[in-house]
């Protein structure tokens, strides 16, 4: 028995240090089961007390109710053996009582009498235990508010406000959040905002706070015209809430925000991501009501934006049938909006019947009234795919043209989708062309067996079109002319080419281009060009412009494969200048030229080509290819230092990938990175977090996850969420360590240390930097990382007057000189001066600072030069050398002319120095210059 009890104790200790979530739930379940197996009710009590808390935090209401009932019965029977408080730092039994009435109230399956009985039982237990009544009043207030008895709720709120707080009162975060929600519900927006802002400024947090509070003031912020605060609150609230299904209400509030702020695509994305949460907790029906109403508002807005026919992914799940009813196939946004309203009305009516009020009906009226509210708060993390501008082909001949254009671009999947319609064409020559494309695509997709079965149909079409020579050729060669790459097909092509003189020109061209393609695939560009030249002459002789242009594109690929970008670009320019170039070929040529231009540094020109290719592909209805084209355009705009344009391209690429059922993780990473560059740090943080979560689930290699984590950390830091940024940098450094990417690991630790130092955690910062320096030395070739880490550690030492700074500065300076890094040399010289000043070595400090200023000035960085001179002047002035400081101040002002804050500070300080020297006229003149 000793061994199971030891295991039980290990489980309890692990539970108490594991964050809420699936892992913690599994540990709790194991602990309860083990206690039952041991047969010790005292141990079972310890496990079930934790189970109640775990179930409350993770939205397992039925488990929570059963667990609490078991614990309360045992406590009432023997309070000594089963104490209300286990002294484990978790919620005691009386605190857990507060969750019970709220849980019963959340389902109309429980009567008002049952809820009242729980509240009365709670009050009697509190009084018997000698506890204050704050917790009881809070529970009664929640009951009245949720039931729609607003007058009772207001009376209880006032009473609660006048009641002394005690150990069973809501914490500062939860208390403010709850009352803020009530104020928002009763049209006291300004008061709601004040409470939440006090909470944020005070740094108050709890299990679902501040995310719940922030979601409660989204509408108040909007109605107050405080759009920036609303956007920040939304992004932070959603990012903190999005991973826990028990946060369904919080997510619902954020969905509504996205819907009424012009972000319908984002609202739809959130609906799709979280709609499955409806089935998470069967007893939390009130949260279902809130979520369904939010879904209805959002999907109405999606419909109003012209996307009512858009399928809502995930809504067809069998688990959601109890909410929406039976439905054939996917739900459209418009249909699901109606079903959501109906479900919300049905649930609301059940609550109102139970409560004897119209509270839920009034809530639905408020939600419907949002149709009249619209705010412009753009969030660019998602977008609808622009509708394809091409019309549906009217007949088989039009489908033939569509399929041909798609194939000429190389859109294999879209061509396959168009082929069944196009193959209804009557002309056997056209059918033969379509079947040729079909065979080529099947081979490209490694579906040779299907191609072999289709080949007789192609040969029959050729004979029907009177092309007997080509039919005989393909009868003899099989799949050799359709791209099948085997020793036999290559030999067969070579033999046929050797005997091709008697064949028609088109057949000679077909043999030549087929062989050229195989040479190109084998990275034999010269041989490919030789055969392409033959093919081009043959197709020109046969007057087949389409295949002549196809051959030109193949030849261009061969030229580029040789690394001759100049010649390839010239060929592309000439091809694109042709008037008879088809849309498909033009789109392909533009995309190829875009890549060439990107590879040669002409990013903006390449981006323009990629954009034009996107336009043409939209005309053709090539959706999947369009996504890849937008990705290329985004990359080129990003490389061309125009991340604003990159954002719009990436988000379209991500949406297309998502709608096609593909993996948008890589695109979303690029999108988040571009967002960070344009200043949308909060949106970037949300998206980086999503990407990291997907990478974790996919068990992506540690190095890749580390890069995502480090970018998430940067976004969080830029957003001002420094606490989370420290954690994210720490996680990134762990992952980089697993991947043995030492330079990146050291850099992540350095960024972490910089944040810690910012908040005066200097000991921890230095400890991190010392470890980072050891790690950075394992990657001596990564000079940038090594100098950054050593320089940062030197600055940290220098700030404390620690002599260990100077050998580090010497090492950084030597590396800067070795690698001609003049700016770094000036910067580390500036750092040396500041460290010398900390030690009171005034002359050396001033000399180093002025040397640094000269170095910056020589490089044209006058702002940094002025900063070094300002520091030198301060050192002189602070050491009774005011006269010496005056010219240095003046030089700082001169160098800082393009930096008004530096000039203002330097001029004001100079004025004070001159005044102290008795040079009043000069002081007035300097001050007047600042004021002007």
């Amino acid at each position: 028995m000793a061994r199971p009890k030891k295991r039980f104790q290990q489980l309890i200790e692990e539970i108490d240090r594991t964050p809420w979530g699936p892992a913690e739930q599994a540990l709790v379940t194991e602990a309860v089961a083990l206690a039952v197996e041991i047969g010790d009710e005292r141990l079972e009590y310890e496990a079930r007390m934790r189970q109640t808390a775990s179930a409350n935090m993770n939205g397992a209401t039925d488990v929570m109710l059963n667990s609490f009932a078991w614990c309360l019965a045992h406590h009432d029977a023997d309070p000594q053996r089963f104490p209300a408080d286990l002294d484990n730092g978790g919620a005691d039994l009386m605190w857990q009582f507060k969750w019970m009435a709220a849980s019963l109230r959340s389902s109309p399956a429980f009567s008002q009498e049952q809820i009242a009985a729980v509240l009365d039982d709670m009050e009697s237990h509190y009084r018997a235990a000698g506890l204050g009544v704050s917790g009881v009043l809070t529970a009664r207030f929640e009951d009245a508010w949720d039931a729609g008895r607003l007058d009772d709720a207001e009376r209880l709120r006032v009473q609660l406000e006048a009641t002394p707080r005690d150990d069973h009162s809501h914490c500062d975060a939860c208390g403010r959040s709850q009352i803020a929600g009530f104020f928002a519900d009763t049209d006291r927006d300004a008061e709601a905002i004040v409470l939440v802002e006090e909470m944020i400024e005070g740094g108050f947090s709890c299990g679902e706070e501040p995310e719940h509070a922030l979601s409660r003031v989204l509408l108040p912020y909007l109605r107050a015209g405080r759009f920036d605060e609303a956007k920040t609150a939304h992004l932070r609230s959603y990012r903190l809430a999005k991973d826990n299904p028990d946060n369904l209400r919080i997510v619902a509030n954020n969905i509504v925000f996205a819907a009424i702020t012009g972000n319908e695509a984002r609202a739809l994305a959130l609906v799709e991501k979280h709609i499955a949460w409806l089935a998470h907790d069967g007893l939390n029906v009130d949260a279902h009501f809130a979520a369904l109403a939010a879904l209805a508002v959002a999907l109405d807005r999606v419909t109003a934006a012209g996307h009512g026919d858009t399928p809502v992914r995930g809504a067809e799940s069998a688990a959601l049938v109890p909410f929406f009813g039976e439905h054939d196939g996917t739900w459209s946004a418009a249909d699901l909006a109606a079903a959501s309203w109906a479900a919300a009305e049905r649930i609301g009516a059940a609550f109102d019947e139970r409560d004897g009020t119209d509270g839920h009906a009034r809530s639905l009226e408020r939600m419907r009234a949002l149709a009249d509210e619209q705010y412009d708060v753009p969030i660019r993390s998602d977008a609808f795919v622009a509708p394809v501008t091409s019309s549906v082909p009217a007949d088989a001949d039009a489908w033939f043209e569509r399929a041909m254009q798609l194939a000429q671009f190389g859109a294999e999947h879209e061509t396959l989708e168009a082929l069944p319609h196009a193959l209804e064409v009557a002309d056997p020559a056209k059918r033969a062309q379509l079947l040729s494309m079909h065979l080529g695509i099947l081979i490209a997709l490694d579906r040779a067996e299907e191609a072999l079965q289709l080949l007789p149909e192609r040969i029959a079409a050729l004979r029907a079109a009177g092309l007997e020579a080509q039919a005989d050729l393909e009868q003899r060669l099989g799949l050799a002319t359709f791209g099948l790459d085997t020793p036999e097909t290559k030999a067969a092509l070579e033999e046929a080419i050797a005997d091709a003189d008697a064949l028609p020109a088109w057949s000679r061209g077909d043999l030549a281009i087929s062989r050229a393609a195989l040479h190109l695939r084998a990275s034999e560009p010269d041989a490919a060009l030789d055969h392409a030249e033959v093919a081009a002459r043959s197709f020109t002789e046969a007057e087949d412009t389409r295949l002549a242009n196809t051959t030109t594109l193949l030849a261009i690929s061969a030229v580029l494969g040789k690394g001759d970008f100049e010649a390839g670009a010239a060929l592309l320019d000439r091809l694109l200048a042709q008037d008879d170039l088809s849309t498909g070929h033009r789109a392909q040529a533009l995309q190829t030229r875009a890549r060439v231009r990107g590879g040669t540094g002409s990013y903006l020109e390449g981006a323009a080509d990629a954009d034009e290719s996107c336009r043409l592909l939209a005309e053709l209805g090539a959706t999947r290819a369009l996504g890849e084209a937008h990705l290329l355009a985004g990359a080129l705009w990003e490389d061309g230092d125009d991340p604003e344009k990159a954002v719009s391209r990436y988000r379209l690429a991500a949406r297309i990938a998502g709608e096609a059922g593909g993996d948008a993780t890589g695109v979303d990473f690029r999108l988040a990175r571009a967002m960070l560059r344009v200043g949308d740090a909060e949106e970037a943080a949300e998206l980086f977090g999503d990407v990291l979560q997907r990478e974790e689930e996919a068990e992506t290699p540690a190095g890749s996850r580390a890069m995502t984590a480090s970018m998430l950390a940067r976004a969080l830091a830029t957003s001002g969420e420094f606490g989370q940024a420290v954690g994210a940098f720490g996680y990134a450094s762990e992952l980089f360590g697993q991947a043995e990417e030492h330079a990146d690991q050291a850099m992540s630790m350095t960024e972490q240390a910089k944040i810690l130092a910012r908040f005066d955690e200097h000991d921890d910062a230095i400890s991190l930097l010392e470890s980072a320096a050891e790690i950075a030395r394992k990657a001596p070739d990564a000079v940038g990382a090594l100098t950054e880490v050593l320089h940062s550690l030197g600055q940290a030492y220098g700030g404390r007057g620690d002599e260990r700074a100077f050998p580090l500065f010497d090492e950084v300076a030597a590396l800067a000189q070795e690698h001609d890094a003049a700016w770094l040399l000036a910067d580390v010289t500036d750092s040396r001066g500041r460290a010398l000043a900390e030690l009171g070595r005034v002359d050396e400090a001033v000399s180093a600072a002025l040397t640094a200023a000269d170095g910056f000035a020589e490089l044209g960085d006058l702002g940094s030069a002025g900063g070094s001179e300002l520091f030198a002047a301060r050192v002189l002035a602070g050491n009774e050398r005011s006269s010496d400081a005056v010219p240095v101040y003046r030089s700082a002002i001169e160098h800082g002319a393009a930096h008004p804050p530096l000039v203002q500070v330097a001029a004001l300080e100079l004025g004070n120095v001159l005044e102290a020297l008795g040079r009043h006229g000069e002081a007035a003149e300097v001050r007047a210059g600042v004021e002007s």
Side-chain angles (χ1 to χ4, degrees):
M1 187 59 70
R3 184 170 296 172
K5 285 189 176 181
K6 182 177 181 181
R7 171 57 183 157
F8 178 85
Q9 194 56 44
Q10 289 173 342
L11 282 170
I12 291 297
E13 291 172 2
E14 196 169 352
I15 289 166
D16 290 346
R17 64 172 179 264
T18 302
W20 308 116
E24 174 263 348
Q25 283 178 291
L27 292 170
V28 169
T29 301
E30 185 181 348
V32 172
L34 183 56
V36 171
E37 180 185 329
I38 294 170
D40 187 327
E41 288 192 330
R42 180 61 175 80
L43 297 182
E44 186 176 351
Y45 185 78
E46 290 188 30
R48 286 193 180 276
M49 283 283 285
R50 289 167 171 82
Q51 186 177 53
T52 304
S54 173
N56 176 64
M57 293 306 300
N58 292 295
T61 302
D62 53 344
V63 174
M64 179 181 68
L65 291 172
N66 291 330
S67 180
F68 176 79
W70 189 96
C71 290
L72 183 64
H74 281 69
H75 168 75
D76 288 346
D78 188 350
Q80 296 301 315
R81 188 179 180 204
F82 305 103
D85 191 350
L86 293 177
D87 292 325
N88 68 323
D92 68 21
L93 191 63
M94 295 301 106
W95 184 283
Q96 292 178 357
F97 233 129
K98 297 198 294 184
W99 304 334
M100 298 308 117
S103 298
L104 266 59
R105 160 142 300 288
S106 293
S107 172
F110 300 103
S111 69
Q112 189 63 45
E113 290 74 22
Q114 288 174 298
I115 298 167
V118 168
L119 289 168
D120 291 343
D121 192 26
M122 176 182 179
E123 184 165 356
S124 67
H125 274 84
Y126 270 50
R127 292 191 184 280
L131 303 177
V133 297
S134 175
V136 176
L137 285 173
T138 298
R140 293 193 183 281
F141 163 73
E142 290 174 345
D143 176 59
W145 175 23
D146 290 346
R149 303 191 308 274
L150 298 183
D151 290 342
D152 289 346
E154 176 63 13
R155 175 180 55 77
L156 286 162
R157 183 194 68 80
V158 173
Q159 186 179 351
L160 181 60
E161 195 174 78
T163 300
R165 291 177 54 79
D166 56 56
D167 290 344
H168 289 79
S169 299
H170 270 5
C171 70
D172 284 321
C174 292
R176 282 179 168 80
S177 176
Q178 182 187 60
I179 301 303
F182 180 65
F183 282 155
D185 247 10
T186 51
D187 300 321
R188 289 176 277 184
D189 289 350
E191 294 174 78
I193 290 172
V194 167
L195 279 176
V196 174
E197 289 186 340
E198 286 177 355
M199 173 183 164
I200 299 300
E201 289 167 9
F204 303 128
S205 63
C206 193
E208 60 177 28
E209 300 298 348
E211 53 265 39
H212 199 174
L214 291 168
S215 79
R216 283 167 155 161
V217 291
L218 294 175
L219 291 177
Y221 269 139
L222 291 174
R223 289 165 180 157
R226 297 174 62 180
F227 293 170
D228 288 344
E229 290 96 330
K231 178 178 176 180
T232 296
H234 160 65
L235 292 167
R236 185 178 181 190
S237 171
Y238 176 69
R239 182 165 45 77
L240 293 173
K242 66 184 177 65
D243 296 326
N244 185 352
D246 196 39
N247 292 334
L248 183 58
R249 282 179 177 274
I250 302 173
V251 168
N253 292 340
N254 281 284
I255 288 173
V256 170
F257 173 88
I260 67 173
T261 52
N263 298 291
E264 296 88 356
R266 177 175 174 81
L268 177 59
L270 298 186
V271 168
E272 291 177 334
K273 185 179 294 186
H274 299 288
I275 194 169
W277 285 11
L278 285 168
H280 169 67
D281 185 353
L283 289 179
N284 197 1
V285 183
D286 209 17
H288 300 161
F289 170 80
L292 287 163
L295 263 60
V297 168
L299 296 172
D300 273 351
R301 289 301 180 101
V302 170
T303 301
H307 299 277
D309 293 334
T310 301
V312 182
R313 293 170 293 180
E316 72 282 359
S317 168
L320 300 180
V321 170
F323 298 97
F324 305 123
E326 297 288 347
H327 189 269
D328 292 332
T330 59
W331 283 91
S332 70
D335 289 345
L336 191 61
S340 298
W341 283 121
E345 288 167 358
R346 182 177 68 251
I347 292 172
F351 274 111
D352 286 347
E353 181 179 357
R354 193 268 308 272
D355 298 330
T357 69
D358 63 349
H360 283 73
R362 289 199 311 269
S363 179
L364 273 183
E365 287 176 13
R366 290 169 68 88
M367 295 296 282
R368 289 190 183 277
L370 291 174
D372 298 324
E373 296 190 40
Q374 179 66 47
Y375 307 93
D376 185 21
V377 186
I379 297 173
R380 299 181 298 173
S381 57
D382 214 317
F384 289 115
V385 177
V388 176
T389 56
S390 60
S391 58
V392 176
D395 52 32
D397 283 310
W399 273 109
F400 167 81
E401 187 59 33
R402 168 70 62 83
M404 294 294 289
Q405 298 286 359
L406 289 168
Q408 286 164 38
F409 173 77
E412 296 168 344
H413 296 281
E414 290 93 335
T415 305
L416 287 177
E417 291 169 1
L419 278 172
H421 305 285
L423 282 167
E424 294 177 6
V425 72
D427 186 343
K430 289 184 176 180
R431 281 183 54 79
Q433 290 183 63
L434 293 169
L435 289 166
S436 175
M437 292 188 307
H438 195 175
L439 286 163
I441 292 172
L442 290 175
I443 294 298
L445 297 177
D446 293 325
R447 293 159 60 180
E449 290 185 8
E450 292 178 58
L452 195 59
Q453 294 174 3
L454 186 64
L455 183 59
E457 190 175 342
R458 155 74 175 174
I459 293 170
L462 287 170
R463 296 194 190 284
L467 301 172
E468 293 291 344
Q470 184 66 23
D472 291 342
L473 181 65
E474 293 181 15
Q475 185 91 50
R476 187 169 71 253
L477 296 181
L479 296 173
T481 58
F482 299 102
L484 186 63
D485 190 358
T486 68
E488 292 77 16
T489 56
K490 291 174 184 174
L493 283 173
E494 295 284 1
E495 183 179 348
I497 289 170
D499 297 331
D501 290 345
L503 291 174
W506 195 95
S507 296
R508 295 198 305 274
D510 188 38
L511 289 171
I513 195 173
S514 299
R515 190 65 186 96
L518 294 180
H519 277 303
L520 188 60
R521 191 182 306 172
S523 300
E524 298 164 353
D526 288 323
L529 282 170
D530 291 340
H531 285 286
E533 184 178 352
V534 173
R537 287 200 305 268
S538 301
F539 288 131
T540 300
E541 180 183 341
E543 298 181 348
D544 190 330
T545 303
R546 175 180 69 87
L547 278 173
N549 289 334
T550 298
T551 304
T552 300
L553 282 167
L554 186 150
I556 289 170
S557 295
V559 170
L560 295 174
K562 295 175 64 176
D564 192 344
F565 297 112
E566 185 176 347
L571 288 169
L572 283 164
D573 291 343
R574 194 154 58 242
L575 179 64
L576 285 164
Q578 292 180 199
D579 293 332
D580 59 354
L581 193 64
S582 71
T583 300
H585 278 146
R586 186 171 296 279
Q588 181 62 264
L590 282 165
Q591 204 167 97
T592 303
R593 190 169 70 177
R595 290 192 171 93
V596 170
R597 286 176 162 175
T600 55
S602 300
Y603 301 119
L604 298 182
E605 294 84 351
D609 280 346
D611 278 348
E612 177 62 12
S613 179
C614 289
R615 186 187 69 80
L616 296 176
L617 290 171
E619 287 183 5
L620 294 177
T623 305
R624 185 179 303 197
L626 183 59
E628 295 169 358
H630 278 304
L631 180 60
L632 172 62
L636 288 166
W637 283 117
E638 188 177 10
D639 288 342
D641 203 25
D642 196 339
E644 190 74 46
K645 287 189 173 70
V647 165
S648 62
R649 277 65 171 179
Y650 283 147
R651 67 177 183 174
L652 285 170
R655 185 69 188 182
I656 290 171
E659 290 188 350
D663 184 5
T665 301
V667 187
D668 281 341
F669 179 89
R670 289 171 175 263
L671 173 57
R673 185 177 62 194
M675 284 179 168
L676 185 57
R677 285 187 65 187
V678 299
D680 293 335
E682 291 158 321
E683 295 167 60
E686 177 189 308
L687 201 49
F688 279 129
D690 283 344
V691 170
L692 182 59
Q693 184 177 25
R694 277 178 258 160
E695 289 180 339
E696 297 281 3
E697 291 169 355
E699 298 182 351
T700 301
S704 179
R705 284 182 286 140
M707 182 58 67
T708 304
S710 67
M711 293 301 292
L712 170 60
R714 292 178 190 282
L716 288 167
T718 306
S719 301
E721 296 191 42
F722 297 107
Q724 292 194 54
V726 166
F729 274 126
Y731 183 50
S733 69
E734 289 178 20
L735 291 171
F736 279 129
Q738 291 175 26
E740 297 186 353
E741 296 179 10
H742 303 302
D744 289 322
Q745 182 184 11
M747 287 300 296
S748 291
M749 295 170 72
T750 300
E751 293 300 325
Q752 193 178 11
K754 287 178 180 178
I755 296 175
L756 291 172
R758 177 174 182 164
F759 291 94
D760 296 327
E761 299 289 341
H762 296 293
D763 289 340
D764 290 341
I766 287 177
S767 177
L768 264 175
L769 287 169
E770 288 171 341
S771 297
E774 291 179 15
I775 292 168
R777 292 190 187 282
K778 296 178 183 178
D781 292 339
V783 177
L786 181 60
T787 55
E788 173 68 18
V789 175
L790 297 181
H791 192 180
S792 296
L793 179 56
Q795 289 172 321
Y797 283 152
R800 290 189 157 190
D802 189 328
E803 294 276 0
R804 287 180 294 175
F806 300 109
L808 294 172
F809 291 149
D810 290 341
E811 188 174 353
V812 172
L815 287 169
Q817 290 171 328
E818 180 184 348
H819 295 277
D820 296 323
W823 193 92
L824 175 59
L825 181 59
D827 194 34
V828 75
T829 304
D830 178 272
S831 298
R832 183 190 301 277
R834 294 172 193 269
L836 289 164
E838 286 290 329
L839 291 167
R841 293 158 63 177
V842 175
D843 289 339
E844 293 173 87
V846 170
S847 175
L850 294 179
T851 300
D854 291 342
F856 285 131
E858 286 177 14
L859 295 168
D861 186 354
L862 300 183
S864 294
S868 295
E869 288 171 328
L870 177 60
F871 171 73
R874 286 172 170 172
V875 172
L876 290 167
N879 285 275
E880 300 181 357
R881 293 173 59 180
S882 297
S883 295
D884 293 338
V886 170
V888 182
Y889 270 121
R890 291 192 186 281
S891 184
I893 292 170
E894 181 182 347
H895 280 141
H899 303 273
L902 189 155
V903 171
Q904 186 174 33
V905 170
L908 289 173
E909 291 184 16
L910 175 57
N912 292 337
V913 169
L914 290 168
E915 193 75 46
L917 290 169
R919 296 158 64 174
H920 305 296
E922 291 178 71
E925 183 181 347
V926 168
R927 289 169 179 157
V930 174
E931 293 171 1
S932 64

